[in-house]
Amino acid sequence: MSPRLLLRRHRSTLLIAAVALLLVLWIASGVVGRDPPVMETRQEHALPTVAVRVSDAERIQRLVTLQGEVLPDQQVTVRAETEGRLVGTPVPLGEAVGAGTVIARIGMDDREAQLRRAEAAVRGRQADFRAAEELAEEGYQAQLQVDSARAELEAARAELESVRLDIEHTRVKAPIAGVLNHRTAEVGDYLSVGAAVAEIVENNPLKAVVQVPQHNIHRIRQGQTASLEFGNDRGREGTIRHVSARADTQTRTFRVEIEVPNADRILPSGISVQVRIPVQEVMAHRISPALVTLDPDGRLGIKILENEDRVAFHPIDPVRADSEGLWVDGLPETVRIITAGQGFVNEGDRVQIRPEDAGPVQ
């Protein structure tokens, strides 16, 4: 077979082989000419950023702050000491009265007749006694009759005194100075012995009563000064006059009474009161309450920066709170406090620092 005929028969096969060869050469040229791949090196993560404020401790008073109630210094229920119908109430409600002021009157009924009868009985017994003494001196009567006459005279005098006292009890008097706060009986009511007539309240001084927890009672002493803020926004100073020697068995708290002068009687009793008792001077830092957190052991604390700008958790002891923040003890005298970004860092982390006033943490 001639070469021409052979080439014609295998033309398609040769064409396919030539295309395949060209394709292989094109792919190979691309691989050979390409730069070898570069292995990416792992970049180090950027340090977290926190805002920090340098705080210096200040000397302040540690306060024991308590909620309580205000009671009158004295509160007395006046009761009838004789029976009868109430016929008069000469003192209006709310008026100040002195000790011994008549605040109600009970009807006399037949007490004046009883008085005259008792006085006559005394006069008769006095005459009998004098006659018995004279007869005994002259020897006409035994001493026994004299003693008997003396006993009858004393009994008559006692009866007269009882009638006079009963008449005195018809004038119901205030046992203490104070304000006529409440009237239990009205004109026309019949009163038996011991029936309540009225209530006298003495609000000068007032008595603020608080319950001190057992962990603070060792700081409280009689004679200490206390600052009081009442529910009506009035403030006063008071003095601790009584600290209970025994805790309440239910609450394990101690009753403390604070005397509050109230000469003008502007402050009423029965209102709530907040009491602050300064007990100790300490070096403390003022922080925002939002910075306070708990560690895994449940301790209160804040996050600070120590050496090498590493985060540390530091326990704190709250001392007192005011409108500008929370005063805490337990920190170093000078400390770097994390004020922003503390929620994104953990104890031991190293951080970047930016000033507190440089805007929000990114």
Side-chain angles (χ1 to χ4, degrees):
M1 183 179 295
S2 65
R4 184 183 298 272
L5 182 60
L6 183 62
L7 180 62
R8 186 180 301 167
R9 179 177 294 179
H10 297 284
R11 182 182 297 173
S12 59
T13 302
L14 292 173
L15 183 60
I16 293 173
V19 172
L21 180 59
L22 289 174
L23 182 62
V24 170
L25 291 174
W26 177 75
I27 294 174
S29 65
V31 173
V32 172
R34 184 184 303 169
D35 293 334
V38 178
M39 298 298 294
E40 293 184 1
T41 58
R42 186 175 183 180
Q43 296 182 350
E44 185 178 351
H45 291 292
L47 296 176
T49 302
V50 296
V52 171
R53 174 172 59 87
V54 177
S55 175
D56 293 315
E58 300 179 41
R59 186 174 297 278
I60 67 164
Q61 286 280 356
R62 179 187 292 274
L63 300 178
V64 174
T65 303
L66 305 158
Q67 299 293 329
E69 62 177 337
V70 180
L71 302 178
D73 184 56
Q74 289 182 284
Q75 181 176 345
V76 177
T77 298
V78 185
R79 299 183 181 276
E81 296 181 80
T82 188
E83 62 180 17
R85 196 168 302 280
L86 190 63
V87 297
T89 53
V91 179
L93 284 176
E95 185 168 317
V97 297
T101 301
V102 176
I103 60 173
R105 290 191 178 91
I106 295 175
M108 288 289 289
D109 297 334
D110 65 343
R111 288 180 175 87
E112 291 182 351
Q114 293 179 29
L115 177 62
R116 292 193 296 271
R117 186 163 53 248
E119 290 172 339
V122 169
R123 290 193 295 268
R125 296 297 178 268
Q126 284 177 332
D128 293 344
F129 175 67
R130 285 195 297 267
E133 277 190 318
E134 291 175 0
L135 290 174
E137 290 173 357
E138 296 176 3
Y140 296 112
Q141 190 164 315
Q143 186 62 36
L144 182 61
Q145 279 74 24
V146 176
D147 294 339
S148 177
R150 181 184 291 110
E152 290 179 357
L153 173 59
E154 292 301 323
R157 286 173 175 171
E159 179 63 25
L160 175 60
E161 184 63 27
S162 177
V163 172
R164 286 174 175 169
L165 185 60
D166 186 56
I167 291 174
E168 180 67 19
H169 287 163
T170 62
R171 293 177 293 178
V172 182
K173 299 177 181 179
I176 62 169
V179 174
L180 182 60
N181 185 61
H182 179 65
R183 185 176 290 120
T184 312
E186 299 292 343
V187 172
D189 291 343
Y190 189 87
L191 304 176
S192 57
V193 176
V197 177
E199 179 187 70
I200 306 293
V201 172
E202 175 55 289
N203 279 345
N204 181 39
L206 286 171
K207 180 171 59 179
V209 178
V210 294
Q211 301 294 330
V212 179
Q214 58 185 0
H215 66 271
N216 272 331
I217 193 61
H218 67 282
R219 297 189 171 107
I220 309 300
R221 295 289 183 271
Q222 187 174 345
Q224 283 178 307
T225 299
S227 175
L228 301 96
E229 185 175 328
F230 300 90
N232 54 12
D233 295 330
R234 294 180 180 273
R236 292 284 175 95
E237 296 291 318
T239 304
I240 296 176
R241 71 178 186 184
H242 172 69
V243 179
S244 177
R246 183 175 182 274
D248 184 280
T249 56
Q250 299 296 321
T251 62
R252 303 301 178 189
T253 58
F254 292 79
R255 178 186 173 98
V256 172
E257 296 180 6
I258 302 158
E259 184 175 303
V260 186
N262 188 33
D264 52 12
R265 290 184 169 82
I266 291 178
L267 291 173
S269 53
I271 61 177
S272 60
V273 64
Q274 183 180 70
V275 177
R276 295 184 176 92
I277 306 172
V279 294
Q280 179 187 12
E281 277 196 348
V282 296
M283 298 299 292
H285 297 261
R286 179 189 276 129
I287 65 171
S288 168
L291 302 181
V292 179
T293 185
L294 293 175
D295 71 355
D297 296 327
R299 296 179 301 172
L300 282 177
I302 61 172
K303 291 178 180 177
I304 64 173
L305 286 188
E306 293 186 335
N307 296 333
E308 300 180 351
D309 296 337
R310 292 192 180 275
V311 178
F313 176 87
H314 205 295
I316 59 171
D317 178 19
V319 175
R320 76 186 199 200
D322 57 28
S323 59
E324 298 182 11
L326 179 68
W327 288 94
V328 298
D329 187 15
L331 296 171
E333 187 169 344
T334 299
V335 64
R336 294 187 295 168
I337 300 174
I338 300 176
T339 58
Q342 71 272 18
F344 304 101
V345 294
N346 299 311
E347 189 169 11
D349 289 351
R350 191 175 179 185
V351 297
Q352 298 184 76
I353 302 173
R354 68 154 178 79
E356 187 179 26
D357 56 358
V361 173
Q362 299 297 326

